[in-house]
């Protein structure tokens, strides 16, 4: 498992999402080579680095806030994204979420217009299901460190995507 984590860390470093110093600190933490006194001292940057996956996951899931109040699913993710935009990973995930929010809003408006010829009702139902599925998929990817636009998402913001890697159990790794 340590090898998988180091490979993901290396991918983040090569894509420019983390610095060399952040890479070395995280690698030491993974390998357990960090000295005891340094490990026990609070390190604000390290805490931020370990929590950004969880933060990005919640960022995706906040789209469901629109079920409580219209447009809250746009406002809450936007505020969360802007509050931690300096973190490169959260910034990319925020772009993914906003791409989908704006895309789904456009799809919804077109579907409402098409309700006059009945097909719009079906499109709204499909959009509702897609929104649930894509949001959950995006949250799971964000928690794993994967940056990927939702399917059918219009690219309003340029997103540096990462590949979804699949680890096959008991397979030899080169």
């Amino acid at each position: 498992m340590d090898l998988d984590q180091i490979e993901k860390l290396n991918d983040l470093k090569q894509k420019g999402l983390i610095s060399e110093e952040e890479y070395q600190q995280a690698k030491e933490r993974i390998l357990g080579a960090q000295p005891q006194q340094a490990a026990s001292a609070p390190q604000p940057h390290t805490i931020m680095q370990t929590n950004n996956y969880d933060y990005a996951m919640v960022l995706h899931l906040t789209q469901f806030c629109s079920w409580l109040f219209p447009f809250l699913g746009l406002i809450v993710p936007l505020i969360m994204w802007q509050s931690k935009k300096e973190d490169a990973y959260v910034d990319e995930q925020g772009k993914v979420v906003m791409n989908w929010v704006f895309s789904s809003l456009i799809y919804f408006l077109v579907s409402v217009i098409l309700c006059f010829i009945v097909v719009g009702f079906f499109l709204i139902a499909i959009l509702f299901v897609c929104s649930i599925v894509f949001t959950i998929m995006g949250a799971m990817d964000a928690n794993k460190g994967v940056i990927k636009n939702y399917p059918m998402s219009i690219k309003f913001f340029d997103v540096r995507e990462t590949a979804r890697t699949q680890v096959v159990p008991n397979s030899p790794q080169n």
Side-chain angles (χ1 to χ4, degrees):
M1 276 304 177
D2 288 344
L3 183 60
D4 293 336
Q5 291 175 335
I6 291 175
E7 286 176 0
K8 287 180 184 178
L9 208 55
N10 193 31
D11 288 342
L12 290 173
K13 183 182 85 170
Q14 289 179 355
K15 289 180 172 85
L17 297 175
I18 61 173
S19 67
E20 177 67 31
E21 180 182 323
E22 293 170 322
Y23 170 77
Q24 291 301 332
Q25 288 174 351
K27 181 177 155 188
E28 288 174 4
R29 215 176 38 251
I30 291 169
L31 296 176
Q34 194 169 11
Q36 285 291 42
Q37 63 203 112
S40 63
Q43 298 176 347
H45 192 269
T46 304
I47 292 170
M48 181 185 235
Q49 182 67 26
T50 56
N51 288 336
N52 65 354
Y53 288 0
D54 293 334
Y55 188 88
M57 179 184 69
V58 172
L59 176 66
H60 283 268
L61 294 175
T62 57
Q63 294 176 71
F64 293 131
C65 289
S66 62
W67 292 2
L68 299 174
F69 190 76
F71 293 106
L72 209 56
L74 166 69
I75 296 168
V76 174
L78 184 62
I79 291 170
M80 286 183 68
W81 173 36
Q82 293 302 310
S83 68
K84 281 190 81 172
K85 195 173 183 174
E86 71 279 351
D87 185 305
Y89 181 73
V90 173
D91 184 41
E92 292 299 313
Q93 291 293 348
K95 291 175 186 177
V96 169
V97 170
M98 287 299 114
N99 279 342
W100 176 248
V101 168
F102 294 142
S103 298
S104 63
L105 186 62
I106 290 170
Y107 295 146
F108 179 75
L109 293 174
V110 170
S111 298
V112 167
I113 293 169
L114 292 175
C115 283
F116 292 110
I117 56 171
V118 180
V119 73
F121 295 109
F122 298 110
L123 293 176
I124 290 173
I126 290 170
L127 180 61
F128 179 73
V129 171
C130 286
S131 290
I132 292 171
V133 171
F134 295 165
T135 300
I136 292 172
M137 285 175 42
M140 290 175 17
D141 282 346
N143 199 25
K144 293 177 187 172
V146 175
I147 302 170
K148 196 77 172 166
N149 262 317
Y150 294 2
M152 299 174 21
S153 185
I154 302 169
K155 312 303 189 278
F156 294 102
F157 300 101
D158 187 37
V159 176
R160 294 185 311 189
E161 295 185 1
T162 60
R164 289 184 178 107
T165 57
Q166 291 183 336
V167 178
V168 180
N170 300 326
S171 67
Q173 295 184 357
N174 298 337

